[in-house]
Amino acid sequence: MSIVRAPQACSLQAAPVPRTLVFRPCSCRTSGRAFVPIEQRNAASRMSVVLFAKGGKGGKGGKAETAVKEEKGGKAAAGGIDVQKIAADAKKDADDRMKKCLNVVAEGFNTIRTGRANPAILDKITVDYFGAPTPLKQMGAVTVPDAQTLMIAPFDRSTLRDIERAIQESDIGINPNNDGERIRLVMPPMTQERRKELAKQVSKMTEDGKVAVRNVRKDAMKKAEKVELPKDDKKALEDDIQKLTDSYVKKLDEMAKAKTDEVMKL
């Protein structure tokens, strides 16, 4: 008869870990190189990319160097600001405002009387219509029957006297003729002295226009200074705005010369 013995419990126990045990970082080596933390490895990788973009130690890179330069001139510059968009918006705003200055001067030139009949000379005249200053052109139809005559047919005949009075009090230098239905304005021949006075008005309007254009340039420069643009981009923007200013000043001079010649022509 065989005797079967019950299994005995193992008397081996895991040794307790001493509390004074301190784990120290090991100097693992991979392929003969010491272990480097990931932060240092990322920095080293970025440095390698920069060196490659620059073409090594002293050479110049190709497409990589171009990409780096484009990044510096784009959104990466000035803290993520799109430099190209800021410059384009600043030039467009300055161009629009300078164009308005040019239009104001052109409208002023139209109000200066020359030897020929021009309805634009009535643009600045307002009529007291029931206590409200109303542009004369809104009070009636203005026609040019011949090269020396303007005809005003009021929509309301009761305003004939008011329109006549407004023309007499204006500075156009024409005496209105009221026939009870219409007002006729005959352009009188201008003396040489009168032509010189009108030429001075042209010159003054031109100078006022130039001042307005330069004020636009000054305002555009101030707006550019509020944005921290790179030095080269800021200089390029200032040069572009100055060229724009010079072009509009030149246009004003050309307009003034043409208008002066028209005024002084006998």
Side-chain angles (χ1 to χ4, degrees):
M1 180 176 177
S2 60
I3 301 174
V4 179
R5 296 180 179 179
Q8 298 180 356
C10 183
S11 61
L12 297 177
Q13 296 181 357
V17 179
R19 295 184 179 180
T20 58
L21 183 62
V22 178
F23 290 93
R24 301 180 182 276
C26 63
S27 58
C28 299
R29 295 178 177 271
T30 305
S31 301
R33 295 184 180 180
F35 174 77
V36 181
I38 188 170
E39 293 83 5
Q40 297 182 14
R41 280 184 286 163
N42 290 341
S45 299
R46 290 195 296 268
M47 182 61 69
S48 300
V49 172
V50 172
L51 290 175
F52 173 76
K54 292 183 177 180
K57 295 183 179 180
K60 293 185 178 180
K63 295 182 179 179
E65 183 179 13
T66 304
V68 171
K69 289 183 179 179
E70 290 178 354
E71 184 180 7
K72 289 183 179 179
K75 294 184 179 180
I81 297 175
D82 192 341
V83 176
Q84 296 179 354
K85 184 176 185 305
I86 291 176
D89 291 345
K91 288 186 285 187
K92 184 179 184 305
D93 179 66
D95 184 54
D96 292 341
R97 295 173 61 188
M98 290 181 184
K99 191 175 296 182
K100 290 180 181 178
C101 297
L102 202 72
N103 293 336
V104 170
V105 175
E107 292 174 359
F109 284 174
N110 289 335
T111 62
I112 295 179
R113 180 173 69 87
T114 58
R116 298 179 63 84
N118 184 1
I121 66 173
L122 306 176
D123 289 348
K124 295 190 299 183
I125 300 178
T126 58
V127 181
D128 186 4
Y129 185 61
F130 291 104
T134 307
L136 188 151
K137 285 191 172 182
Q138 296 181 11
M139 303 286 294
V142 181
T143 57
V144 185
D146 57 65
Q148 305 297 324
T149 306
L150 289 177
M151 189 78 72
I152 304 172
F155 301 132
D156 183 1
R157 290 186 182 181
S158 64
T159 61
L160 272 171
R161 291 294 304 167
D162 296 329
I163 295 175
E164 182 181 9
R165 186 181 306 109
I167 295 174
Q168 290 172 342
E169 294 175 354
S170 68
D171 60 351
I172 63 174
I174 303 174
N175 189 28
N177 182 12
N178 184 356
D179 62 5
E181 293 185 357
R182 300 178 184 84
I183 293 178
R184 188 184 301 270
L185 300 176
V186 179
M187 305 293 113
M190 292 190 299
T191 63
Q192 189 68 12
E193 190 66 25
R194 177 59 178 169
R195 292 178 185 276
K196 290 181 180 179
E197 292 178 2
L198 295 178
K200 290 180 181 179
Q201 291 184 20
V202 171
S203 178
K204 185 179 184 305
M205 289 182 181
T206 304
E207 289 303 318
D208 291 343
K210 290 181 180 179
V211 171
V213 167
R214 293 184 181 117
N215 286 337
V216 172
R217 177 197 61 186
K218 185 177 179 181
D219 185 56
M221 297 295 190
K222 285 183 178 180
K223 288 181 179 179
E225 290 176 358
K226 292 181 180 179
V227 183
E228 295 182 359
L229 296 175
K231 185 176 180 180
D232 294 341
D233 294 309
K234 183 178 292 186
K235 182 65 169 59
L237 177 59
E238 291 176 354
D239 291 343
D240 290 341
I241 293 178
Q242 183 60 52
K243 291 178 182 178
L244 190 66
T245 304
D246 294 339
S247 67
Y248 274 98
V249 169
K250 183 178 179 181
K251 290 179 182 178
L252 286 171
D253 287 334
E254 293 173 352
M255 289 170 52
K257 184 180 183 306
K259 189 63 180 181
T260 301
D261 293 343
E262 181 184 356
V263 169
M264 297 301 296
K265 186 177 180 180
L266 297 177

